[in-house]
Amino acid sequence: MSDAPSATTKQSPLHEAHLAAKGRMVPFAGYELPVQYAGLVAEHTAVRTAAGLFDVSHMGELELRGPGALGVVDRVVTNDAKKLVDGQAMYTCSCNERGTILDDLIVYRKGAEDWLVVCNASNREKMVAHFAAEAARSSGCDFVDASDRTALVALQGPKALSIAGRIGGEALAALGSFHFAEATLGGVKVLASRTGYTGEDGLEIFCAPEGAMQLWNALLEAGAPLGLVPAGLGARDTLRLEARLSLYGNEIDETTNPLEAGLAWVVKLDKGDFIGRDALVAVKQAGLARKLVGFEVTGKQIARHGYPLLDASGEVVGQCTSGSPAPTVGKNIGLGYLPAALAAIGTGFAVDCRGRKAEAVVVKTPFYKAS
């Protein structure tokens, strides 16, 4: 994150709400967004014990419609969109022909000829071009970038469904994980999905930008007695790290493939052809040279993104992709790539923390799992 917004930095439909709540604003993925309000640890803890409300309107929303839409989606993503039913979503990757990751996505089947894809804000331009090109090559697929006419908030935590139920979302409690439905919350028409990026239960809620402030305020008012607080990018990052959820630009990017990143479960090599399939078949046949692992630093030092990982002889053998103190776990944790021979649970290595060696050990992940 840089320190100051540029002249081209966008504002979300909830910008004034963040200022009113004294959110500390930072530039992120082309937007000015709150990194924290009351404090990162307090917001992190609220999500683990009650609920937090995040503004994620910076995410990209791509719409594909028509009889050719399924074919386009299935060619662009690694998971099998053909297995979805109406009202169901799935997590997936999109790869280039080399089998490395263009973005990680959530795909929503609204109908047989009606699809929504949510991409990362930093990759919006790239993914718009990628999907648009495939749609243009297909017959019967209309493609629209709907990002600027879509607001998105995430209500996350063990009390999230109860809070939504207080303002008209009682039926949402019946949704299964990675399922979604239309609803009216606080007088605002929404599409609510039982998904999230925190390791907790909750909803991601889409609405028109003009309804975002009404929805935000209704949720905060209804949730305040249950402990709901607004939460920023800082808590979002520590929450997703404890849950071992990858961040594009850290764990995954166009230099990594989904197999080494621990995302083989969203790669369906037997579904038929898709972009990057041949390269991923070759990777699988050759075996993985490196793997993304979770680790704990055994001392007081904190591993950070970009820090070198060292073997027993002090040679650089990998890199930390994310690292932080983990408020729920009470340890300093990290993710990083290590050679496959050093990736087994219990393997010791070191982190070069700006010239100081910190002992670390590979551990089982996720670091935290909701009960």
Side-chain angles (χ1 to χ4, degrees):
M1 298 177 191
S2 55
D3 295 323
S6 71
T8 57
T9 303
K10 298 179 182 178
Q11 295 178 350
S12 95
L14 294 165
H15 185 76
E16 294 302 320
H18 303 320
L19 297 182
K22 296 182 169 54
R24 182 158 72 84
M25 308 301 286
V26 298
F28 182 79
Y31 282 77
E32 191 178 359
L33 294 169
V35 67
Q36 64 180 41
Y37 301 86
L40 186 156
V41 174
E43 293 160 25
H44 179 112
T45 303
V47 174
R48 289 282 183 250
T49 59
L53 187 62
F54 301 83
D55 178 8
V56 284
S57 298
H58 58 294
M59 302 293 280
E61 288 84 19
L62 316 179
E63 296 177 347
L64 299 97
R65 293 191 177 94
L70 169 58
V72 171
V73 171
D74 223 28
R75 174 160 170 74
V76 173
V77 306
T78 60
N79 210 335
D80 192 350
K82 295 186 297 296
K83 292 185 177 180
L84 295 181
V85 299
D86 293 357
Q88 187 178 14
M90 70 178 187
Y91 177 71
T92 186
C93 291
S94 178
C95 290
N96 55 34
E97 293 288 3
R98 302 189 309 276
T100 60
I101 302 171
L102 294 172
D103 202 7
D104 62 330
L105 314 163
I106 296 184
V107 173
Y108 299 79
R109 175 174 162 148
K110 300 170 79 174
E113 299 183 7
D114 190 359
W115 297 77
L116 171 66
V117 177
V118 174
C119 67
N120 284 294
S122 59
N123 291 328
R124 174 182 165 186
E125 185 176 338
K126 174 173 66 175
M127 297 313 298
V128 166
H130 192 51
F131 273 93
E134 286 303 314
R137 280 191 278 269
S138 172
S139 60
C141 180
D142 295 321
F143 171 80
V144 174
D145 177 6
S147 306
D148 291 337
R149 55 178 172 84
T150 309
L152 178 59
V153 301
L155 176 65
Q156 299 284 293
K159 298 183 181 178
L161 274 295
S162 296
I163 293 166
R166 290 183 165 208
I167 58 169
E170 298 90 346
L172 297 177
L175 283 177
S177 178
F178 276 81
H179 285 74
F180 61 95
E182 293 181 349
T184 299
L185 299 180
V188 180
K189 291 184 177 180
V190 305
L191 185 73
S193 172
R194 200 158 185 178
T195 49
Y197 191 54
T198 63
E200 295 294 337
D201 197 3
L203 299 167
E204 293 180 307
I205 308 168
F206 303 83
C207 70
E210 54 268 26
M213 191 71 79
Q214 182 177 333
L215 173 65
W216 180 268
N217 290 335
L219 287 167
L220 285 178
E221 182 178 355
L226 298 181
L228 175 66
V229 301
L233 295 168
R236 185 170 162 85
D237 192 46
T238 54
L239 289 159
R240 70 91 193 167
L241 178 56
E242 287 187 340
R244 199 202 186 279
L245 299 174
S246 292
L247 175 63
Y248 196 91
N250 286 38
E251 284 69 48
I252 53 177
D253 58 27
E254 290 189 55
T255 70
T256 62
N257 69 68
L259 305 183
E260 66 188 1
L263 297 175
W265 62 280
V266 301
V267 178
K268 309 302 183 187
L269 296 174
D270 59 353
K271 74 166 185 170
D273 192 33
F274 61 89
I275 298 172
R277 181 185 180 278
D278 290 347
L280 291 171
V281 168
V283 168
K284 184 176 181 180
Q285 290 175 343
L288 298 179
R290 63 175 187 169
K291 293 181 180 180
L292 183 67
V293 303
F295 62 87
E296 293 176 1
V297 179
T298 55
K300 294 183 178 181
Q301 302 217 46
I302 301 170
R304 297 293 189 189
H305 172 70
Y307 283 9
L309 306 182
L310 315 174
D311 65 12
S313 66
E315 291 295 314
V316 176
V317 292
Q319 187 178 73
C320 176
T321 58
S322 294
S324 172
T328 313
V329 178
K331 298 176 180 178
N332 294 332
I333 63 172
L335 296 172
Y337 283 96
L338 283 174
L342 298 178
I345 292 171
T347 302
F349 63 97
V351 184
D352 182 348
C353 298
R354 295 183 176 180
R356 298 180 64 185
K357 281 188 181 182
E359 297 302 314
V361 61
V362 178
V363 298
K364 183 179 180 181
T365 55
F367 304 98
Y368 164 85
K369 190 171 184 179
S371 56

